[in-house]
Amino acid sequence: MASEDITKLAESLAKTKVGGGQLSFKGQSLKLNTAEDAEEVIKQIEEFDGLEALRLEGNTVGVEAAKVIAKALEKKSELKRCHWSDMFTGRLRSEIPPALISLGDALIAAGAQLVELDLSDNAFGPDGVRGFEALLKSPACYTLQELKLNNCGMGIGGGKILAAALKECHRKSIAQGKRLALKIFVAGRNRLENDGATALAEAFGIIGTLEEVHMPQNGINHPGITALAQAFAVNPLLKVINLNDNTFTEKGAVAMAETLKALRQIEVINFGDCLVRSKGAVAIADAVKEGLHKLKELNLSFCEIKRDAALTVAEAIEDKTELEKLDLNGNCLGEEVCEQLHEILEGFSMASVLGSLSDDEGDEEEEEDEEEEEEEEEQQLKERGAEEQGSLTPKKIFDSQASTPVPSPPVDVATFLAFPSPEKLLRLGPKCSVLIAQQTDTSDVEKVVGTLLRISSVFKDEAPVKTAVHETTDALMKKAFSSATFNSDAFITNLLVHMGLLKSEEKIKTVPSLYGILMTLNHMVQQDYFPKSMVPILSAFVTKDQGQQLLNLSMGKCKLFKNPTVQVKQPFLV
């Protein structure tokens, strides 16, 4: 290293910010290639007592430099925050994974308990995710609250690896009594697309503690958006959802609107440039109108929303006293509707919350049929998916690990219950019935009903799946009915409510299809553990013919229902 370079490095290090447990080399443009280059950085780290946060962003760290910096970090057990964005500028992509592995291994060896990990703006691609995969699965991340991976080019493959690592971290953390409670997740501009988003949605559904999710510009269409919506529904603490510049269309928007109805802490909704269109906007407006009293920002800009839908959105915010911004710019409104928006909001004394409408596209004289557009886009999506399926190879996903395909993420009980499918149930193995029964609190009727409905939802009249559903149901319900604390009457009532056959004062989401639960009940009532006194109660809520079938089950006379459509008869109050 030349003497002038050493002088320059010393000058940069003199600007290093120290304070509050934080050591910062942020924005110093340090070029750390070799162990010698990193000597001064290492010295600062080693001499810093009580290091809690290390900022390396805005520099460039090579493989050898990373190894020696890692060595210094092995003794820093108090490190909690790693601000390591934009620290591989100019590096070959093949250099990044080994550098990350060295740093991650050091944090594990130190016994660090991270709260924040920021690796944004490092273009490491899917193979780079392998570089911190072990770290994410380790005890060092059981305490992780903020994970920031913006603009890393992870792609579908990287998204799947990341999702599997998060699920593994969650599983291990529970086993150690230190449940992962991730609060903030950032992964914008990563080309995750539907498959990557769906994989991450499974992880989110298991984690359940998210407060902020930022995933803009990822090429996600309605299948991925719907998967995320389902995951968000089981994260009741969500405050911020930023999915800007993805493609909802009506299907994705309606799914997300249903989820918003269940969330009570939402403060920011950013669906700008997401093509929610008019029908999607109306669905979102309904969700806003029903609740979301803490809402501060609603962004539906550049979404091809037309006049009536825009006015519906404006009317929906009437009682949102916390609202600070409503963005409807770039839609198809026209001058007259823009004026109407101002008038409506002035009537609510909320005119100041309306953002600029300077990029309004104007009122379209001939509105295109949204349903036709949706169908065309659906066809294009299928065709593109087929092309990608044929052309997507491990080599294209992993530049440096062409022969290593992404492994199927492991399945555990929590994964199955969050996103049930026949395949997941079978992949739980021969002990699936025991595992699910063990992990279900049968003293809680609501949990038993929920678990039963999830198991039955994957029913198929195919031997392996049918057997797995029956055995799992038997193990669960035998445990429940044999418990002295289990309230059988409350169970039946709760089940009927979730089946949509009995009304509830509370708003309960019913199962979308009765086929699976009817087939499962068909099996249940023939078992010794099922109280025969409950059969007439069930029969009171189905048609006469099907009621007789249920009654006959206890005598083994029933065949599977050919048409599982159920009609409500005279209510029976348990």
Side-chain angles (χ1 to χ4, degrees), residues 260 263-267 287-296 316-323:
L260 290 174
L263 300 176
R264 294 288 177 265
Q265 306 300 321
I266 288 291
E267 296 179 0
V288 171
K289 189 172 184 177
E290 286 186 21
L292 306 188
H293 296 293
K294 295 183 179 182
L295 188 64
K296 295 181 179 179
I317 67 168
E318 179 178 2
D319 62 345
K320 309 308 168 195
T321 57
E322 301 294 318
L323 194 70

Side-chain angles (χ1 to χ4, degrees), residues 272-290:
D273 203 12
C274 282
L275 203 66
V276 303
R277 294 204 173 108
S278 295
K279 290 182 180 178
V282 170
I284 292 169
D286 288 343
V288 171
K289 189 172 184 177
E290 286 186 21

Side-chain angles (χ1 to χ4, degrees), residues 297-404:
E297 180 179 336
L298 176 59
N299 184 348
L300 294 175
S301 60
F302 299 94
C303 282
E304 293 191 7
I305 299 170
K306 299 184 173 67
R307 50 177 297 155
D308 290 343
L311 296 175
T312 300
V313 171
E315 290 167 353
I317 67 168
E318 179 178 2
D319 62 345
K320 309 308 168 195
T321 57
E322 301 294 318
L323 194 70
E324 299 172 359
K325 183 178 181 181
L326 171 63
D327 193 344
L328 291 171
N329 199 19
N331 287 299
C332 311
L333 309 181
E335 186 175 343
E336 181 181 343
V337 176
C338 288
E339 291 177 359
Q340 285 181 273
L341 286 174
H342 281 287
E343 290 174 3
I344 290 172
L345 294 176
E346 281 178 0
F348 302 154
S349 299
M350 297 176 69
S352 62
V353 307
L354 184 62
S356 170
L357 297 173
S358 59
D359 292 318
D360 182 63
E361 296 289 337
D363 186 15
E364 296 183 359
E365 293 182 4
E366 296 182 6
E367 293 190 359
E368 292 183 26
D369 190 330
E370 289 189 4
E371 290 186 3
E372 283 185 13
E373 290 182 16
E374 296 264 352
E375 289 175 4
E376 289 176 9
E377 286 162 3
E378 182 78 14
Q379 185 60 34
Q380 291 172 2
L381 182 61
K382 288 179 180 178
E383 291 172 359
R384 185 166 66 250
E387 291 173 3
E388 290 172 354
Q389 185 68 26
S391 61
L392 194 61
T393 64
K395 184 175 181 180
K396 291 187 178 182
I397 297 178
F398 298 104
D399 288 353
S400 63
Q401 299 180 27
S403 62
T404 307

Side-chain angles (χ1 to χ4, degrees), residues 5 75 158 218 222 260 294 314 385 445 484 503:
D5 292 331
K75 298 177 182 178
N218 269 298
H222 74 77
L260 290 174
K294 295 183 179 182
V445 168
K503 289 186 178 181

Side-chain angles (χ1 to χ4, degrees), residues 68-143:
V68 292
I69 292 173
K71 194 69 177 175
L73 291 176
E74 287 180 358
K75 298 177 182 178
K76 301 299 175 181
S77 61
E78 296 178 25
L79 187 62
K80 292 181 175 62
R81 298 183 182 274
C82 297
H83 301 279
W84 295 350
S85 64
D86 188 24
M87 69 174 206
F88 295 112
T89 303
R91 298 289 167 186
L92 295 174
R93 209 160 112 174
S94 60
E95 293 181 84
I96 302 176
L100 288 173
I101 288 172
S102 295
L103 294 168
D105 288 348
L107 297 177
I108 296 171
Q113 294 187 323
L114 296 185
V115 173
E116 180 179 0
L117 177 61
D118 186 355
L119 293 170
S120 300
D121 301 313
N122 290 309
F124 44 60
D127 46 335
V129 184
R130 294 284 190 197
F132 59 93
E133 180 184 17
L135 174 62
L136 277 182
K137 294 179 179 179
S138 76
C141 285
Y142 292 172
T143 51

